[in-house]
Amino acid sequence: MSSNTLVTPDHIADPIPVETRGRAKRRHGGTHLILIALAVMWLIPLLWTLYTALRPKAETDKYGYFSVGGAYNFENFSKAWEQAGLGTYFVNSVIITVPTVLLTLLFASMMAFAVSRFSWRFNVTLLIMFTAGNLLPPQVLAAPLFSIFKFVPLPLSISDSGNFLNTYYSVIMVNTAFQIGFCTFVLSNYMKALPHELTEAALVDGAGVWKQYYSIVMPLCRPALAALGTLEVIFIYNEFFWPLLFIQSGSRLPITTGIKNLQGQFLNDYNLIAAGATFTIIPTLIIYIMLQRHFVAGLTLGASKG
């Protein structure tokens, strides 16, 4: 080919062989099939709950749960909202979830900053201890924590029970303690990937430890904090065990625990319970849809940094 010959796309060799492309397509096709199958498996309980909630109990008793006949309406939703008082439980969930998430991110960011930006004798040991706490089943600590909260006095102006039981404080403290380890692990990996020259330059300019923390490192951790905040809201909002253990007053239960008020003593209206369960799903779905990008990033944040 002479130097004056025009080079067209037909003259350019394909760098990827056809056989390699075919294998890649087949491999991706199999991955997509697996993901679709898993998505369907996860959606079946949700769709079945919604379907059950749309059917009156009389129709279900007549045709059976595994049937498609009869009428469909929204009567169960209005009845569940009024009978269970779900509005109060939603407010209780907000009172528990918001402070817990803020405290968890605050304490975890402080701990992650200490173990990732400074070299001292026990930083790795302390990080291991925080991470190992997530491996402990929470039910193991149920009895000791219940006894501690029962015998630690509080002024009656703060707690009408005179202790930590039947208060929001107990649930907030326990949830914060159990979530700090996971958040510390993720944030420490993220902070280790930040250039150390930033804090070194700030130190030369006279910035102290606190100045480095909240003026330099924390603004750079906004993506990690947004991802963890999304995950923690979902984790804590869906928490069932601790509120059920520490709160005896029905008016203070969060939505996930308060929905048990829809259960009867001798007969359960599963259509009504399904409607109440559908209400509890709505806030989580809204948060996930609004912050989906951060949620997905949070699943791989610890693995992709550090």
Side-chain angles (χ1 to χ4, degrees), residues 119-138:
S119 296
W120 46 292
R121 185 173 183 180
F122 299 106
N123 60 345
V124 177
T125 303
L126 199 57
L127 180 61
I128 293 174
M129 291 177 59
F130 270 79
T131 306
N134 290 329
L135 305 178
L136 186 67

Side-chain angles (χ1 to χ4, degrees), residues 5-74:
T5 304
L6 179 64
V7 178
T8 63
D10 294 335
H11 295 109
I12 301 175
D14 189 354
I16 303 177
V18 177
E19 295 80 3
T20 304
R21 285 187 174 183
R23 287 195 298 269
K25 288 183 178 179
R26 288 192 296 270
R27 183 171 63 252
H28 292 161
T31 303
H32 291 160
L33 288 176
I34 293 174
L35 293 176
I36 291 172
L38 291 175
V40 171
M41 291 175 59
W42 280 97
L43 285 174
I44 285 177
L46 176 62
L47 296 177
W48 188 258
T49 300
L50 180 60
Y51 172 72
T52 304
L54 291 172
R55 300 187 71 187
K57 187 176 185 302
E59 300 294 332
T60 302
D61 293 340
K62 180 179 179 181
Y63 296 99
Y65 280 98
F66 300 96
S67 62
V68 294
Y72 302 90
N73 54 51
F74 294 93

Side-chain angles (χ1 to χ4, degrees), residues 101-113 180 182-191 194 213-234 287 291 293-295 297-298 301-302 305:
V101 172
L102 295 178
L103 289 173
T104 300
L105 295 181
L106 175 63
F107 295 146
S109 63
M110 291 180 179
M111 185 62 207
F113 178 79
I180 281 180
F182 168 73
C183 293
T184 300
F185 175 75
V186 175
L187 283 175
S188 63
N189 285 338
Y190 190 89
M191 291 181 183
L194 300 177
Y213 166 73
Y214 67 79
S215 295
I216 298 175
V217 174
M218 291 304 292
L220 296 175
C221 291
R222 287 177 182 173
L225 293 172
L228 283 174
T230 305
L231 291 169
E232 289 301 314
V233 166
I234 296 174
I287 293 173
L291 303 174
R293 178 169 58 89
H294 298 301
F295 182 87
L301 195 56
K305 296 290 182 182

Side-chain angles (χ1 to χ4, degrees), residues 133-295:
N134 290 329
L135 305 178
L136 186 67
Q139 292 79 6
V140 173
L141 298 177
L145 287 173
F146 187 88
S147 299
I148 292 173
F149 290 149
K150 181 178 180 181
F151 293 106
V152 174
L154 282 179
L156 293 177
S157 58
I158 299 177
S159 170
D160 53 9
S161 62
N163 51 49
F164 277 97
L165 293 181
N166 202 31
T167 64
Y168 299 123
Y169 309 120
S170 57
V171 181
I172 292 173
M173 286 190 299
V174 171
N175 277 326
T176 301
F178 273 94
Q179 295 298 328
I180 281 180
F182 168 73
C183 293
T184 300
F185 175 75
V186 175
L187 283 175
S188 63
N189 285 338
Y190 190 89
M191 291 181 183
K192 287 177 182 177
L194 300 177
H196 283 269
E197 289 79 5
L198 295 174
T199 51
E200 291 174 356
L203 182 62
V204 172
D205 292 338
V209 173
W210 285 105
K211 187 72 173 179
Q212 297 175 35
Y213 166 73
Y214 67 79
S215 295
I216 298 175
V217 174
M218 291 304 292
L220 296 175
C221 291
R222 287 177 182 173
L225 293 172
L228 283 174
T230 305
L231 291 169
E232 289 301 314
V233 166
I234 296 174
F235 292 160
I236 296 168
Y237 174 84
N238 289 325
E239 176 61 45
F240 178 83
F241 179 71
W242 296 121
L244 185 65
L245 179 65
F246 296 134
I247 299 180
Q248 290 81 38
S249 176
S251 61
R252 297 178 183 174
L253 292 173
I255 184 66
T256 50
T257 310
I259 196 176
K260 67 183 181 64
N261 289 343
L262 293 173
Q263 296 179 349
Q265 183 177 1
F266 302 105
L267 181 64
N268 286 330
D269 187 343
Y270 292 107
N271 302 75
L272 195 63
I273 296 175
T278 304
F279 275 121
T280 67
I281 296 172
I282 294 175
T284 306
L285 289 178
I286 293 175
I287 293 173
Y288 176 76
I289 292 172
M290 293 177 59
L291 303 174
Q292 180 180 4
R293 178 169 58 89
H294 298 301
F295 182 87

